[in-house]
């Protein structure tokens, strides 16, 4: 496996001497996720986190399918995690001034609007998994589009330009909802004071000064998730902006590479420290997993499940329900690297549902123990489509479904079926990737909270029928942001060496796996169409790409 893994090493100084302990520097990483905000500090020598602090974030769910967060609360928690981590460094006799750069990684697609002059949010951040915009999506799908007659053609009409298909997942539909439903937003746009951005833009603007000269930027990875950036030119696209009827007075962030100095921190213990890395969380994990070569793939199991496949310098436009996205661009003058992506809405959040809603397990660790106590699911399958199915189905009308229940079904069977359901969704995405590229995935690099479970990874390798590789250092998302920041200021460069990891090999026969996969597909069929009336429109029978 060493040939397909990369690590980073340090640039030698002019005298070709390696750094002494006194010369050791550090790189900070802000990891602003869906469920928590963290700040981690990585050593320039070991690439390991030496200090960190984490705070849980709060979701606001005013209605079914709505998911919001308070932008000011997020910003406050980012600053708090930085302050607490710096205090921990001082206790280790390390000065915060030894942090040479800061990278930002963030939940993608999450959409914010704020006032240029007051710095105040005009509404809560609408989170990536929010489903309120489905009627808006339907409206744009139903636009009269030349040479587009089927739903498939209409949903994929913009795919060559932006790499994406029309789905509530993406930022532009959240942006339209805000303009149409929040009077403060439409008024601010007319007065040319409405700033639009994803979470990275909001944080970097505030941390570099806010109303006092803050830098309004985003990077190519986050911009590629809005449906407004051309994935070939890496610029806001006039045709896309016109298609979605975006107002000319809206203030867009400048699109930059993932690795360059954008600005400097203006207050707090890291004042004057450059912010020099910005990358969406899933692309950051791809970097942190050292998937720098075309053909390498990683899967992050967090709140959702996100599988990225490095396709190199040329974007591959999917015909099997996947997304084309920018993987990274390491500096102003470098070529962008692209990826195919399959997103699964529910992964770790399914285990949280079992814990918080059904109250049948009190921790993921106990769930793991219960799932391991039975050899199989006793015939049940759980499709955790609480907010619809993402890749490769893209069915917003799907809902969570459990099939095959009998009087012999136990909590342990449900625990195992939950883990298997997440794994089967991963397999669905992998099969689409292989169909689009014509090349099989030979190994799957994994990270995220669920990847710490050996039980889960043993199930995953059996379901997917390939080796599953877990790095010893599991903070890959934060590491990816740190790498981007470190590259920009000359701390690190990329070289190919062996990485340190654990590998899981399948024990289930392919015949057994195929039999279970057939039942999984039947469960998928039964999960679709639950929130539609009998008199729905012509799109009822559409079964995905």
């Amino acid at each position: 496996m060493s040939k397909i893994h990369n690590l980073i090493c340090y640039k030698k100084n002019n005298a070709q001497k390696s750094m002494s302990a006194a010369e050791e520097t550090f790189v900070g990483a802000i990891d602003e996720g869906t469920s928590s905000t963290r700040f981690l500090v990585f050593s320039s020598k070991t690439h390991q986190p030496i200090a960190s602090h984490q705070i849980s974030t709060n979701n606001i769910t005013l209605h079914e399918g709505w998911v919001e967060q308070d932008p000011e609360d997020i910003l406050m928690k980012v600053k708090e995690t930085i302050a607490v981590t710096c205090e921990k460094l001082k206790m280790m006799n390390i000065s915060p001034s030894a942090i040479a750069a800061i990278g930002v990684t963030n939940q993608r697609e999450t959409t914010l609007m704020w006032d240029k002059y007051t710095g105040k949010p005009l509404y809560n951040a609408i989170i990536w998994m929010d489903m309120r915009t489905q009627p808006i999506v339907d409206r744009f799908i139903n636009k009269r589009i030349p040479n587009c007659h089927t739903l498939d053609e209409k949903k994929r009409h913009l795919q060559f330009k932006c790499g994406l298909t029309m789905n509530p997942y993406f930022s532009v539909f959240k942006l339209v909802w805000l303009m149409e439903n929040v009077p403060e937003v439409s008024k601010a746009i007319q007065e040319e004071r409405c700033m639009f951005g994803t979470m990275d833009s909001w944080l970097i603007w505030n941390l570099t000064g806010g109303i006092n000269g803050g830098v309004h930027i985003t990077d190519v990875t986050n911009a590629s998730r809005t449906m407004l950036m051309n994935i070939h030119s890496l610029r806001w696209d006039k045709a896309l902006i016109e298609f979605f009827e975006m107002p000319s007075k809206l203030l867009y962030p400048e699109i930059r590479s993932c690795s360059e100095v954008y600005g400097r921190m203006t207050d707090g213990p890291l004042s004057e420290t450059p912010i020099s890395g910005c990358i969406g969380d899933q692309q950051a994990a791809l970097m942190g997993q050292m998937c720098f070569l075309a053909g390498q793939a990683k899967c992050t199991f967090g709140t959702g499940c996100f599988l990225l496949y490095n396709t190199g310098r040329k974007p591959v436009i999917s015909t099997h329900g996947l997304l084309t996205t920018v993987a990274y661009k390491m500096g102003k003058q470098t070529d962008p690297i692209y990826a195919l992506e399959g997103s699964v809405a529910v992964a770790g959040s399914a285990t949280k549902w079992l814990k918080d809603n059904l109250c049948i397990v009190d921790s993921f660790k106990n769930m793991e123990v219960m799932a391991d106590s039975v050899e199989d699911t006793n015939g049940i399958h759980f499709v955790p489509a609480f907010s619809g199915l993402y890749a490769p189905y893209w069915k917003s009308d799907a809902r969570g479904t459990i099939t095959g229940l009998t009087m012999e079904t136990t909590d342990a069977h449900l625990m195992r079926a939950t883990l298997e359901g997440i794994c089967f969704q991963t397999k669905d995405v992998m099969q689409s990737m292989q169909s689009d590229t014509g090349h099989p995935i030979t190994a799957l690099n994994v990270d995220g909270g669920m990847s710490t479970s050996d039980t889960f990874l043993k199930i995953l390798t059996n379901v997917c029928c390939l080796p599953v590789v877990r790095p010893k250092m599991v903070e890959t998302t934060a590491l990816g942001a740190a790498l981007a920041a470190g590259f920009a200021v000359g701390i690190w460069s990329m070289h190919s060496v062996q990485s340190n990891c654990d590998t899981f090999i399948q024990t289930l026969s392919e015949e057994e796996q195929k039999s279970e996969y057939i039942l999984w597909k039947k469960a998928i069929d039964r999960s679709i169409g639950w929130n539609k009336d009998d008199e729905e429109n012509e799109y009822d029978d559409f079964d995905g790409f």
Side-chain angles (χ1 to χ4, degrees):
M1 299 300 295
S2 63
K3 291 183 179 179
I4 62 169
H5 287 276
N6 296 295
L7 269 181
I8 49 174
C9 70
Y10 320 108
K11 288 185 175 180
K12 295 182 179 180
N13 59 22
N14 292 335
Q16 299 298 305
K17 296 178 181 178
S18 56
M19 289 190 293
S20 66
E23 293 174 307
E24 183 175 13
T25 57
F26 303 91
V27 179
I30 296 168
D31 183 356
E32 199 294 296
T34 309
S35 57
S36 70
T37 298
R38 304 190 303 161
F39 185 69
L40 300 88
V41 177
F42 290 84
S43 166
S44 64
K45 287 189 171 184
T46 65
H47 320 112
Q48 300 289 321
I50 63 163
S52 65
H53 188 64
Q54 176 173 332
I55 305 175
S56 296
T57 52
N58 302 314
N59 287 343
I60 302 167
T61 53
L62 301 175
H63 305 284
E64 181 183 357
W66 291 33
V67 189
E68 302 174 0
Q69 290 179 350
D70 181 348
E72 293 185 303
D73 182 58
I74 296 293
L75 178 62
M76 179 187 69
K77 287 175 176 175
V78 166
K79 291 182 176 181
E80 183 179 346
T81 58
I82 291 173
V84 173
T85 303
C86 287
E87 288 301 314
K88 292 180 180 180
L89 290 177
K90 291 177 183 177
M91 294 175 65
M92 300 164 62
N93 294 319
I94 297 173
S95 171
S97 63
I99 297 177
I102 297 170
V104 176
T105 185
N106 59 284
Q107 49 170 301
R108 307 166 307 164
E109 295 93 21
T110 295
T111 304
L112 302 93
M113 311 280 268
W114 67 96
D115 191 296
K116 176 181 179 180
Y117 300 111
T118 67
K120 295 295 183 181
L122 298 168
Y123 190 79
N124 284 332
I126 300 182
I127 303 306
W128 58 272
M129 67 179 75
D130 187 284
M131 294 297 293
R132 78 186 70 181
T133 59
Q134 185 61 57
I136 296 172
V137 174
D138 293 340
R139 191 173 81 212
F140 280 104
I141 289 175
N142 285 316
K143 284 184 71 170
R144 194 175 295 275
I145 304 170
N147 302 317
C148 291
H149 307 291
T150 68
L151 177 62
D152 186 358
E153 291 171 341
K154 290 182 177 182
K155 293 187 76 171
R156 295 177 58 191
H157 170 60
L158 304 173
Q159 191 174 9
F160 180 77
K161 273 188 174 290
C162 65
L164 311 175
T165 59
M166 288 195 229
N167 188 275
Y169 191 21
F170 303 115
S171 302
V172 68
F173 300 110
K174 299 169 174 58
L175 179 55
V176 172
W177 187 92
L178 287 164
M179 292 190 300
E180 293 180 350
N181 293 275
V182 182
E184 293 83 357
V185 168
S186 56
K187 186 173 187 292
I189 290 174
Q190 288 302 313
E191 296 174 358
E192 297 188 57
R193 55 183 174 83
C194 183
M195 304 185 81
F196 153 67
T198 42
M199 192 63 77
D200 55 307
S201 301
W202 165 252
L203 293 177
I204 292 174
W205 184 77
N206 278 284
L207 295 174
T208 58
I211 59 174
N212 298 311
V215 180
H216 190 207
I217 65 101
T218 188
D219 82 293
V220 290
T221 65
N222 281 292
S224 73
R225 313 298 293 186
T226 63
M227 288 200 82
L228 295 173
M229 188 193 84
N230 186 306
I231 59 170
H232 307 283
S233 69
L234 306 185
R235 297 178 182 274
W236 300 120
D237 188 89
K238 182 179 179 181
L240 293 172
I241 288 171
E242 289 178 352
F243 179 86
F244 288 110
E245 304 165 12
M246 292 291 103
S248 60
K249 296 180 179 180
L250 184 63
L251 303 177
Y252 296 90
E254 179 185 357
I255 300 175
R256 306 277 284 273
S257 78
C258 302
S259 182
E260 58 182 274
V261 176
Y262 314 111
R264 295 179 180 272
M265 297 279 288
T266 55
D267 58 19
L270 298 181
S271 180
E272 296 302 318
T273 304
I275 298 178
S276 56
C278 180
I279 185 168
D281 53 6
Q282 301 312 317
Q283 287 93 332
L286 187 75
M287 283 196 63
Q289 286 275 21
M290 313 303 164
C291 294
F292 297 128
L293 300 178
Q296 292 181 305
K298 75 87 198 176
C299 193
T300 297
F301 294 95
T303 303
C305 164
F306 303 88
L307 203 157
L308 268 70
Y309 180 104
N310 185 326
T311 61
R313 288 177 169 81
K314 292 184 178 181
V316 174
I317 303 300
S318 175
T319 58
H320 293 85
L322 301 180
L323 310 174
T324 303
T325 193
V326 180
Y328 53 83
K329 176 176 165 61
M330 299 306 290
K332 296 180 181 179
Q333 306 304 320
T334 63
D335 292 331
I337 300 299
Y338 294 92
L340 279 174
E341 175 173 339
S343 304
V344 174
V346 177
S349 55
T351 68
K352 189 174 187 296
W353 175 76
L354 293 173
K355 172 180 174 290
D356 296 343
N357 292 44
L358 297 193
C359 302
I360 58 176
V361 65
D362 58 6
S363 68
F364 180 67
K365 182 62 180 176
N366 285 342
M367 177 183 176
E368 179 185 6
V369 171
M370 291 175 67
D372 207 26
S373 70
V374 291
E375 293 184 357
D376 54 40
T377 67
N378 196 34
I380 71 169
H381 284 82
F382 178 21
V383 181
F386 298 124
S387 55
L389 288 168
Y390 283 11
Y393 305 101
W394 295 109
K395 284 294 205 175
S396 59
D397 63 344
R399 288 297 177 266
T401 305
I402 301 173
T403 64
L405 291 169
T406 68
M407 289 294 290
E408 286 72 42
T409 300
T410 67
D411 287 355
H413 293 129
L414 181 57
M415 300 299 110
R416 192 172 186 92
T418 302
L419 298 182
E420 282 194 2
I422 297 166
C423 296
F424 277 120
Q425 290 179 107
T426 306
K427 181 181 179 68
D428 287 338
V429 174
M430 287 179 55
Q431 289 197 331
S432 293
M433 287 181 169
Q434 291 172 173
S435 297
D436 277 328
T437 62
H439 300 289
I441 297 173
T442 57
L444 182 63
N445 297 274
V446 297
D447 54 69
M450 293 187 70
S451 71
T452 60
S453 165
D454 287 2
T455 297
F456 174 66
L457 296 189
K458 288 174 184 176
I459 295 173
L460 180 64
T461 191
N462 279 326
V463 167
C464 295
C465 295
L466 49 66
V468 170
V469 182
R470 178 180 63 196
K472 295 285 189 183
M473 206 292 289
V474 297
E475 298 290 358
T476 54
T477 301
L479 177 60
L483 295 184
F487 292 156
V489 298
I491 292 177
W492 293 314
S493 61
M494 292 183 289
H495 291 274
S496 181
V497 295
Q498 185 176 2
S499 64
N500 193 11
C501 59
D502 296 316
T503 302
F504 296 80
I505 306 297
Q506 73 182 80
T507 57
L508 193 68
S509 71
E510 289 195 21
E511 289 74 19
E512 291 173 294
Q513 186 278 327
K514 286 179 181 178
S515 176
E516 287 299 310
Y517 194 52
I518 290 171
L519 292 175
W520 164 255
K521 286 295 190 178
K522 289 183 178 180
I524 286 286
D525 290 341
R526 284 155 177 75
S527 74
I528 294 170
W530 282 101
N531 69 337
K532 287 193 173 184
D533 297 328
D534 292 337
E535 298 179 359
E536 271 290 4
N537 59 31
E538 63 179 308
Y539 303 141
D540 280 354
D541 296 330
F542 178 66
D543 59 0
F545 298 140

